[in-house]
Amino acid sequence: MFRWLTLAAGLLVLAVLALILVFTVKEAWPAIQHEGVWGFLTGDRWVPNDPDGPGPARPMYGALAFIYGTVVTSLIAVIIAVPISVGIALFLTEFAPRRLRGPVITVIDLLAAVPSVVFGLWAILVLGPWLFDAYQATHGLLGAVPVLGSIFGPPQGPRAFMTAGIIVAIMIIPIITSITREVFATVPNADKQAALALGATRWEMIRGAVFPHSFGGVVGAVMLGLGRAMGETIAVSLTIGAATQITANLFGSGNTLPARIVQNWGDPGIPPGRSALVGLGVVLFLITIIVNYLARLVVSRAEIRMKGASA
Amino acid sequence: MNRSVLTRTAVIGVAMAALALAGCSSSSDPEPDPSGSAANPYASLTGTLDASGASFPNNYYQAAIEAFAEVAPDLEITYRSTGSGTGKREFGEGLTAFAGTDSTVKEGDGPQEGSYLYVPTVAASITISYNLSEVPDLQLSPSTLAKIFSRTITRWDAPEIAADNPDATLPAKDIVVVRRSDGSGTTNNFTKYLVAAGGSDWTLGSGDTVEWPADTQAGDRNTGVAQIIQQTDGAIGYVDFADATASGLTFAAIQNADGNYVVPTLEATTAALAGATLNDDLTYNPLNAPGADSYPITAPTYILVRPTYDDPEVGAAVKGFLTWLLSDPVSIEIAHDEGYATLPDSIRQKALAQIESVTVG
């Protein structure tokens, strides 16, 4: 009896997931039909224009610029957030005096409770002008260097891929930190003591005993943060600048899938504008699935290798 | 039950007739009604009305609904500022009693042909606000405006701007163009204006969102655009009159169809309405309207109602509210306070007749 109940619960999740996919694809179909699946995924122009007026001859819906923006901002966020989060977690589990631990954890968890619109507004009103100066200085410093010059290109304003990435990084730090901390706490004391007894320094102990044991968990935490980063809507919409472009310049404006959806949902333009927005949702959904699958692959591969090495 | 509903509609019918009379000849007081409803024909309205749509007239509608609650205490009206697109869709699905929209209904928007009537309510100008302390009185022709917003002109000392402003000393600064990040009826009307007046200098077409050049700055809603203009030296953008006034922005004078440079004011907006041609379905296009004093970037907004309401309570409430909205001096004063131009009398009479033509029950 209990077995069937749990089976039903398990299947329910799959069914909900399948239903979401089926219905969103159905809703998005007019737009996908309009562009073709390949055209929708690889088009880099988004012109939900009135076909009565002059200008581009027909509405165009291409998701590529938004896919690019989603990937870029999430990567910036993860690259910034992971070292900081792992550092905080290590500090809390291995180094922090017991008295400090409680307050620090509380403050970090509080960070997770701040609504994303507050982060977005703070980024634009307070951080924005300051970041713009920093971007200009960075561009002045690195603008002439070959590859870095195009990555840190001329800033157009405080709203940029970089700004969105930084804000999302701050938002995912609490998530990654708290899970990583729990994972680090599960490392058996015997392993750590053994490493220290063999004459390892603290850093060698962490590298040899803590990291291999908790690698899977940390990757899981990063994936959770990445999922949050890819789906973050309001804060990104406020900070990224809503430009439909694919550029290496991280100081340029761009847009992401969820931000485009929220910006245009109220006035989606002429049909199939609304379907096209749902289509962006489907694309986001698929990207999330792919990323999670890849993460699983990484974890299983790495666990075999690391456990093998440490055994 | 059924009888009381009938009596109620009858009372409202009388009240409406009295009101229509009052509208035609405002000097003569309506006959005192024995039921006492002529003093306040709206007091008998009951129930709840749910509506959604355009955010452009939202400030006015919210203030008006609040004021109307004092006249009709038993009627509860909610207007959700969702954007015209969502407003039309929800109205088409039968979820709302009426909808606000800045744009006309097109195929696929939701409402079926013949299932809606337009009631024009107010209009407002879209200001071209800028931040350039060196030039307190900027003047722009439509062609220069189109070139600025399509980034053909990127410097404030460009010869086109100098030609529009022979007396000003223009600084050698970069122009920062600010536009909306979200889909919006304001963008739609502004780009429609550029299509109409900008000619071959405007190539981006019109729509709730257009393909802006990547080196433009995007703000969220009118307030977001206003905030960027305030914060950025050398910025220029389009903001609706109410929000631009509230943010204390400086407006450029735009050359109208008659060749005069006009600053957005309530009077200039009203002049544009008077110059616009009214279509048979009561839609009208005040963009680039003729008239020496007309402000050219003036956008209308409408309320969609059904030609027939099956529920007499809802129908009476919609008709009562809209009649009050269009004709009551309190409502008109609220509109002016919020920065919206009310309809000239010629359009208002036709709009009231349109409301009157709605059948109930």
Side-chain angles (χ1 to χ4, degrees):
Chain A
M1 182 59 202
F2 183 63
R3 207 184 131 182
W4 295 117
L5 271 177
T6 49
L7 180 71
L11 286 179
L12 187 70
V13 175
L14 281 182
V16 167
L17 218 64
L19 281 177
I20 290 176
L21 197 60
V22 167
F23 279 99
T24 46
V25 168
K26 185 171 156 270
E27 281 283 305
W29 195 246
I32 296 174
Q33 221 171 14
H34 184 270
E35 293 291 334
V37 175
W38 189 245
F40 188 77
L41 287 176
T42 59
D44 59 355
R45 295 178 70 186
W46 186 273
V47 194
N49 265 13
D50 199 331
D52 303 341
R58 61 181 189 118
M60 280 188 254
Y61 307 102
L64 194 63
F66 310 134
I67 297 173
Y68 175 79
T70 307
V71 171
V72 167
T73 47
S74 314
L75 280 182
I76 297 174
V78 166
I79 288 170
I80 297 174
V82 168
I84 297 178
S85 306
V86 171
I88 298 173
L90 275 181
F91 172 73
L92 287 174
T93 48
E94 306 296 337
F95 299 100
R98 194 171 292 269
R99 231 179 315 147
L100 207 61
R101 220 170 277 178
V104 172
I105 291 172
T106 315
V107 168
I108 291 168
D109 287 350
L110 265 180
L111 210 57
V114 177
S116 58
V117 64
V118 173
F119 272 117
L121 289 175
W122 172 70
I124 276 316
L125 297 174
V126 184
L127 213 55
W130 187 84
L131 278 178
F132 188 40
D133 290 345
Y135 294 165
Q136 276 173 327
T138 315
H139 175 63
L141 210 64
L142 301 173
V145 184
V147 179
L148 292 178
S150 51
I151 294 179
F152 301 109
Q156 289 146 6
R159 290 168 179 74
F161 288 112
M162 194 55 132
T163 316
I166 291 172
I167 281 306
V168 173
I170 298 174
M171 297 172 70
I172 63 176
I173 281 175
I175 300 173
I176 304 182
T177 303
S178 58
I179 298 175
T180 315
R181 187 172 54 79
E182 299 289 335
V183 174
F184 286 162
T186 60
V187 177
N189 230 359
D191 285 19
K192 295 199 269 187
Q193 299 296 348
L196 292 173
L198 285 170
T201 62
R202 251 201 187 152
W203 170 237
E204 284 166 340
M205 178 275 283
I206 286 168
R207 233 178 38 182
V210 176
F211 280 168
H213 189 273
S214 40
F215 183 78
V218 173
V219 172
V222 173
M223 283 305 133
L224 215 62
L226 187 62
R228 172 82 200 269
M230 290 196 302
E232 178 49 44
T233 307
I234 297 297
V236 171
S237 175
L238 286 169
T239 51
I240 198 163
T244 311
Q245 66 166 341
I246 298 176
T247 166
N249 181 6
L250 298 183
F251 296 158
S253 304
N255 217 343
T256 68
L257 293 163
R260 176 84 288 179
I261 295 173
V262 77
Q263 287 155 4
N264 275 22
W265 189 254
D267 280 309
I270 54 138
R274 191 175 299 273
S275 303
L277 293 178
V278 178
L280 293 184
V282 174
V283 173
L284 182 63
F285 192 56
L286 293 179
I287 293 178
T288 319
I289 292 176
I290 292 170
V291 167
N292 268 299
Y293 178 76
L294 288 180
R296 235 157 247 276
L297 221 64
V298 170
V299 171
S300 59
R301 286 263 174 99
E303 271 188 335
I304 294 166
R305 193 164 46 87
M306 284 202 146
K307 287 238 169 88
S310 60
Chain B
M1 174 62 201
N2 206 7
R3 227 196 80 187
S4 84
V5 168
L6 279 177
T7 347
R8 201 186 297 143
T9 19
V11 167
I12 287 160
V14 171
M16 292 294 167
L19 207 84
L21 281 173
C24 294
S25 52
S26 52
S27 56
S28 69
D29 285 326
E31 297 266 313
D33 191 270
S35 68
S37 64
N40 178 4
Y42 309 108
S44 58
L45 299 176
T46 53
T48 56
L49 287 184
D50 187 34
S52 65
S55 52
F56 181 61
N58 184 48
N59 289 349
Y60 166 51
Y61 289 169
Q62 297 303 348
I65 286 168
E66 207 172 295
F68 191 64
E70 287 171 24
V71 190
D74 296 329
L75 176 65
E76 198 185 319
I77 306 176
T78 330
Y79 181 82
R80 287 172 289 117
S81 158
T82 56
S84 302
T86 304
K88 285 188 275 194
R89 187 170 51 86
E90 291 187 345
F91 182 77
E93 286 168 358
L95 298 173
T96 48
F98 62 90
T101 176
D102 300 339
S103 44
T104 53
V105 178
K106 293 197 191 68
E107 198 191 330
D109 275 348
Q112 296 300 312
E113 189 67 40
S115 72
Y116 58 85
L117 295 172
Y118 292 104
V119 177
T121 52
V122 286
S125 42
I126 299 168
T127 70
I128 302 302
S129 297
Y130 67 102
N131 179 348
L132 200 67
S133 47
E134 295 90 339
V135 187
D137 302 300
L138 185 67
Q139 304 191 136
L140 293 172
S141 64
S143 129
T144 312
L145 197 63
K147 283 180 187 161
I148 291 175
F149 276 86
S150 52
R151 299 296 281 157
T152 322
I153 302 177
T154 56
R155 304 274 296 171
W156 278 110
D157 52 359
E160 291 92 337
I161 303 179
D164 289 343
N165 299 275
D167 303 331
T169 351
L170 297 163
K173 277 183 188 164
D174 286 326
I175 300 178
V176 178
V177 168
V178 193
R179 43 87 183 181
R180 293 282 288 266
S181 65
D182 49 332
S184 144
T186 309
T187 305
N188 200 336
N189 279 314
F190 177 57
T191 48
K192 275 208 176 84
Y193 165 74
L194 289 175
V195 166
S200 59
D201 293 317
W202 181 252
T203 52
L204 297 173
S206 69
D208 293 331
T209 308
V210 298
E211 199 178 26
W212 294 107
D215 58 349
T216 52
Q217 293 285 305
D220 195 48
R221 302 188 173 264
N222 275 305
T223 43
V225 175
Q227 182 251 328
I228 300 180
I229 296 173
Q230 252 173 343
Q231 229 176 35
T232 319
D233 188 30
I236 186 166
Y238 57 96
V239 186
D240 76 22
F241 186 75
D243 284 299
T245 314
S247 307
L249 297 174
T250 316
F251 311 144
I254 306 300
Q255 194 177 32
N256 66 14
D258 286 18
N260 299 332
Y261 289 98
V262 179
V263 178
T265 56
L266 269 184
E267 294 72 36
T269 310
T270 316
L273 293 186
T277 15
L278 194 68
N279 300 324
D280 288 341
D281 59 358
L282 295 196
T283 59
Y284 62 103
N285 183 4
L287 288 173
N288 214 18
D293 304 323
S294 302
Y295 181 71
I297 321 176
T298 296
T301 190
Y302 309 97
I303 280 181
L304 296 181
V305 295
R306 298 181 203 291
T308 307
Y309 284 88
D310 294 332
D311 184 338
E313 191 181 41
V314 172
V318 169
K319 290 177 79 169
F321 173 61
L322 291 182
T323 306
W324 179 87
L325 193 74
L326 287 184
S327 58
D328 198 276
V330 173
S331 163
I332 289 168
E333 198 189 320
I334 291 173
H336 292 166
D337 284 350
E338 299 284 344
Y340 298 87
T342 45
L343 303 172
D345 236 24
S346 55
I347 304 183
R348 175 180 295 125
Q349 292 313 327
K350 287 187 183 151
L352 285 169
Q354 183 97 301
I355 299 169
E356 197 52 45
S357 77
V358 170
T359 52
V360 169

